[in-house]
Amino acid sequence: MVEGFFRSHPLIIAHRGVSARFPENTLAAFAAALDAGAEMVELDVTLTRDRHLVVIHDDTLDRTTDGRGEVAALTLSELGQLDAGFWFDPAFSGERIPTLDEVLALARGRAQVNIEIKVSAFEPEAPTDAVERQAVVAARRYAMVDAVVISSFEPRILRRLAALAGAVPRLAVLTETPFAQSDLDLCRELNAWSLNPGWSFVTQAMVTAAHRDGIRVLPYTVNDLDLAKALLNMGVDGFFTDDPVGLAGI
Ligand code: G3P
Ligand code: MG
């Protein structure tokens, strides 16, 4: 067991569920994560044409469903017809694109949920039912505000969340570029819970500086045991992995 800065053991976050062994971002993948005892599951959320929140990583349907084209071009009902499991393995045929509500209902009382809001869902005009507002409403509806972390690569989404009145889930800043002081400045501005960088950008200096500011460092996506150990030696507080089963007990 590795003693962390914030905790006695690393926080292992099931990235898109147990996406190494199940079709990513499906109820099967999330149920497997819960069964494996994952403390937190990560999912990607975006808007349908009729403004519902659905759980899918890509902006297009082509890679992970039997549909074609933009997710945002279809209604929830149309998306519900698609198969989101067959592409991974015919054994998972019949898996659907879940709604955010379905995943919250599944995880409630069993695991924390990291809702990553896709950059492409950002709306400059900030409608009252913008994706980030709907995510907060959903967390409140399921009484999961304390069990949810909302992350995004889009700082404008995070700034809007930080400015909302009432109970708001913890916030996390996602980055995919080499560490810069501005990343921590944004975390401080937002009172963020964590900084979530691509693992290759983690440095000792980053971890030390983040911890000095009371911010966790949770890199993505770590699927190799030696890499996980090296990152933990740098002091990270956990990591996202496609295979929480394979890395269990680290
Ligand atoms: O939230 C961590 C990770 O999911 C960010 O990248 O592209 O896998 O959503 P991506
Ligand atoms: Mg993600």
Side-chain angles (χ1 to χ4, degrees), residues 15-16 42 44 57 116 118 153 174 220 240:
H15 182 241
R16 312 180 195 173
E42 186 260 6
D44 306 284
H57 177 269
E116 179 190 340
K118 303 306 296 180
F153 287 105
L174 276 163
Y220 63 91
F240 295 80

